[in-house]
């Protein structure tokens, strides 16, 4: 479970309200002119799966962030956060595809 | 008045009248061509590639490879090649002095007056044009994929292509573009090369270049136009779809961030070679032929990976500037600064620790989530247009997918004579 590779989930007002209800709004950070982002983390094995199975790009040289994930994966990640009231959701979402 | 293009040559469209075309192609062998060649036929016929009138012969290729010049000394950085295999040369009976018809989408497209069949060392082309012979460079991969014989000769289009919606209004070939620029009354124009949907960083690149280009001109009436010239060519999965690129660029004008008095969106068909500095010179030639007077260049123009230095293209342009009919305008990056509370230039703002830089991947990730960013990052009208294009043209995605590549309407069609 080594590695801490960020995945950025962008948060509009509607999403922010959902996060508030789930008690997770304080996890958001502000980027780009105040746009909110919720960051969930994948471990190295999960990052590999995202690259191999979903064609994502793993920026290992700088931030380690996982980019170019398909829309469906990103939506499931956010939905799972709200449902589970936790940001530890990457494993659940990957399992939902198997 | 004659419209003079690159190399001091008059731009003349090479397009036949229908009756003449039918007559001329009678009995000629037809050779099907792929999209890259069809794009280049259009460029040759309309004058984007002026002074070229056809696919290059060995002397020209040799000049381009050894000196970045055609055989007659005109600056030219990238070979324009028509390739066939030895088997095809034999099968189609291609030989000097014998005209053939080039066929695209199963219809006759162009007359090709063959003057030469030759071979050329592809690795030498790669080294000279791309600065590397590594096949992981996309320009090298393209060059190595060419078949082994090159065929030279003049090209004449048999009939104008039908440009499909929504691209029609943006197809402004050199003579047409020059007429539009005259109509607008612009004294100077500045080209913006793009394959992107614009965020405000791009918007400000254009606005900055507008002021740079304006310089000492009088301000009583609009004298400068920004000409967005989108490159429409080979798509790769996860690029923005062509429809979104052109419609979102135009949206900036339609929604008033620019206006028709200072902005115009257009396209050029071209498969990027990612040749960095050499491609920068090539883009200068394309846009000079369009009658544009200035050309924007940012960092690592038309580069890929870390093959070229950030300013290598600028340095090369500076060595040949005298021979190009277009003035380079160098652009610094724009970013968002929360202290300045605005989009500002890296050359201006000194809040170094607080600056928020635009990154293509970050913007893509926002667009993928369908989350509308603040208007200081992406204009709301542009964002809505991205989403509308995704629905209308992209099978739900503003980025190229396998499904899009399979199902999309071609940008242009060649119809029966
Ligand atoms: Zn600042």
């Amino acid at each position: 479970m080594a590695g801490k590779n960020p995945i950025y989930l962008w948060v509009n007002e509607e999403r922010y309200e959902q996060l508030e209800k789930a008690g997770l709004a304080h996890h958001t950070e502000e980027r780009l002119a105040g746009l909110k982002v919720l960051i969930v983390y994948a471990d190295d094995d999960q990052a590999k799966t995202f690259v191999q199975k979903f064609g994502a790009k793993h920026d290992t040289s700088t931030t380690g962030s996982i980019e170019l994930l398909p829309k469906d994966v990103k939506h499931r990640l956010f939905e799972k956060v709200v449902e589970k009231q936790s940001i530890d959701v990457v494993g659940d979402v990957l399992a939902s595809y198997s | 008045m004659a419209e003079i293009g690159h190399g001091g040559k008059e731009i003349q469209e090479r397009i036949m009248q229908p009756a003449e075309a039918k007559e001329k192609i009678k009995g000629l062998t037809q050779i099907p061509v792929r999209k890259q060649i069809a794009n280049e036929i259009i460029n040759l016929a309309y004058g984007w590639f002026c002074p070229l009138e056809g696919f290059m012969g060995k002397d020209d290729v040799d000049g381009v490879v050894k000196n970045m010049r055609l055989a007659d000394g005109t600056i030219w950085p990238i070979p324009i090649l028509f390739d066939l295999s030895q088997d095809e040369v034999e099968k189609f009976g291609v030989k000097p002095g014998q005209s053939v018809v080039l066929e695209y989408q199963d219809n006759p497209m162009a007359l090709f007056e063959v003057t030469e069949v030759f071979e050329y060392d592809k690795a030498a082309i790669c080294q000279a044009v791309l600065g590397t012979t590594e096949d992981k460079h996309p320009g090298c991969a393209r060059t190595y994929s060419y078949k082994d014989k090159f065929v030279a000769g003049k090209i004449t289009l048999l009939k104008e292509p039908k440009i499909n919606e929504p691209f029609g209004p943006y197809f402004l070939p050199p003579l047409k573009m020059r007429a539009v620029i005259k109509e607008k009354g612009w004294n100077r124009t500045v080209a913006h090369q793009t394959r992107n949907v614009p965020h405000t960083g791009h918007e400000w690149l254009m606005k900055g270049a507008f002021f740079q280009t304006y310089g000492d001109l009088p301000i009583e009436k609009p004298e400068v136009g920004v000409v967005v010239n989108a490159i429409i060519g080979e798509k790769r999965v996860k690029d923005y779809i062509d429809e979104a690129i052109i419609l979102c660029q135009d949206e900036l004008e339609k929604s008033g961030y620019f206006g028709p008095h200072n902005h115009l969106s257009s396209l050029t068909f071209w498969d990027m070679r990612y040749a960095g500095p050499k491609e920068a010179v090539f883009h200068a030639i394309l846009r000079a032929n369009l009658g544009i007077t200035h050309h924007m260049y940012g960092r690592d123009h038309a580069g890929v990976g870390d093959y070229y230095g950030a300013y290598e293209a600028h340095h090369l342009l500076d060595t040949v500037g005298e021979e190009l009919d277009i003035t380079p305008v160098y652009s610094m990056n724009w970013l968002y600064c929360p202290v300045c509370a605005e989009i500002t230039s890296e050359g201006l703002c000194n809040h170094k620790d607080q600056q928020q830089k635009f990154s293509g991947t970050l913007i893509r990730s926002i667009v993928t989530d369908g989350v509308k960013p603040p208007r200081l990052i992406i204009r709301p009208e542009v964002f809505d247009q991205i989403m509308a294009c995704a629905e209308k043209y992209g099978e739900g995605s503003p980025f190229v997918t396998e499904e899009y590549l399979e199902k999309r309407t071609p940008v242009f069609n060649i119809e029966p004579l």
Side-chain angles (χ1 to χ4, degrees), chain B residues 337-341 344 349-351 355:
Chain B
C337 170
V339 185
C340 297
T344 182
C349 161
N350 202 30
H351 304 114
Q355 293 170 347

Side-chain angles (χ1 to χ4, degrees), chain A residues 10 32-33 35 55 68 71 74, chain B residues 238 336 356 365-366 369 371:
Chain A
W10 298 92
L32 280 183
L35 181 60
L68 302 179
K71 186 172 161 180
K74 294 196 74 185
Chain B
K238 290 178 180 173
Y336 176 75
Q356 299 171 354
S365 133
I366 297 168
D369 286 6
V371 166

Side-chain angles (χ1 to χ4, degrees), chain B residues 154-175:
Chain B
K154 288 188 183 178
I155 283 291
T156 311
L157 207 53
L158 300 173
K159 187 184 180 179
E160 299 204 55
K162 177 177 174 282
I163 312 297
N164 293 318
E165 288 317 300
F167 301 101
Y170 308 104
F171 182 74
L172 299 171
L175 293 183

